[in-house]
Amino acid sequence: MSALDGLYQELILDHSKRPIGKGELDAPEGALTASHHEYNPSCGDEIDLSIAVDPATGLVEGLAWEGQGCSISMASASILSQLLREEKLSVDEAQERVDAFREMIQSRGEIEPDEELLGDAVALQGVSKFVMRIKCAMLGWVALEADLKQVATQRG
Ligand code: ZN
């Protein structure tokens, strides 16, 4: 294991121990909200992830989740939450991050992930070499994607 891998392992462990975004959604008055339950039968991971979007600006104003599962699934959901809390993203920008994450995680380590788009999520790049764990890493992102679609439908 390289020093860099060790650093990434630590980051993942840290996020799984002290998850960001875990709890109830605190949606601002008048916000559009969406919630999605996602289950990964191959590992038993599950998550309920909710978002709140300002109908006027289209920005994701809030994100929260509840879930249980392996450390990769929980760390990935936590990192995703951090990403969307650090900077207010539009629905389209959030979808762009989901796409970038999926591309990285399905690349089997062959593409260089965009750290500007993915932040700490690049730490999960190593997961792409383990086919069985890809669904674990994708869990929260798939739920977010479903929420974004729900909101897009509500906005019309
Ligand atoms: Zn898992």
Side-chain angles (χ1 to χ4, degrees):
M1 193 168 68
S2 74
L4 196 63
D5 282 343
L7 203 74
Y8 284 164
Q9 297 264 349
E10 215 167 288
L11 186 86
I12 291 168
L13 210 66
D14 222 50
H15 272 282
S16 69
K17 275 191 197 149
R18 282 178 291 277
I20 296 167
K22 205 169 179 182
E24 267 182 49
L25 181 69
D26 186 17
E29 185 90 25
L32 298 171
T33 58
S35 189
H36 180 80
H37 177 81
E38 186 67 25
Y39 175 60
N40 170 22
S42 63
C43 183
D45 314 313
E46 48 189 323
I47 193 165
D48 282 291
L49 190 138
S50 308
I51 59 168
V53 173
D54 184 316
T57 61
L59 295 176
V60 181
E61 297 282 340
L63 180 151
W65 58 278
E66 290 284 1
Q68 52 185 18
C70 68
S71 57
I72 289 177
S73 65
M74 297 296 103
S76 189
S78 171
I79 290 170
L80 173 162
S81 306
Q82 184 181 46
L83 209 58
L84 271 92
R85 284 178 170 202
E86 265 171 3
E87 175 184 2
K88 278 196 182 148
L89 301 176
S90 70
V91 167
D92 290 343
E93 284 165 343
Q95 180 61 46
E96 198 185 343
R97 313 285 163 121
V98 175
D99 293 339
F101 186 77
R102 179 178 284 121
E103 194 185 353
M104 175 188 83
I105 217 81
Q106 291 180 343
S107 73
R108 305 196 174 212
E110 273 162 26
I111 62 154
E112 198 58 49
D114 188 336
E115 202 164 346
E116 217 166 284
L117 280 181
L118 293 172
D120 281 356
V122 297
L124 289 155
Q125 191 186 17
V127 173
S128 71
K129 294 181 193 122
F130 306 97
V131 177
M132 289 297 290
R133 308 315 297 275
I134 289 177
K135 281 192 177 162
C136 302
M138 281 304 299
L139 187 81
W141 302 75
V142 170
L144 171 63
E145 188 170 47
D147 284 347
L148 293 169
K149 287 209 175 97
Q150 279 183 43
V151 166
T153 312
Q154 290 176 49
R155 293 186 80 210

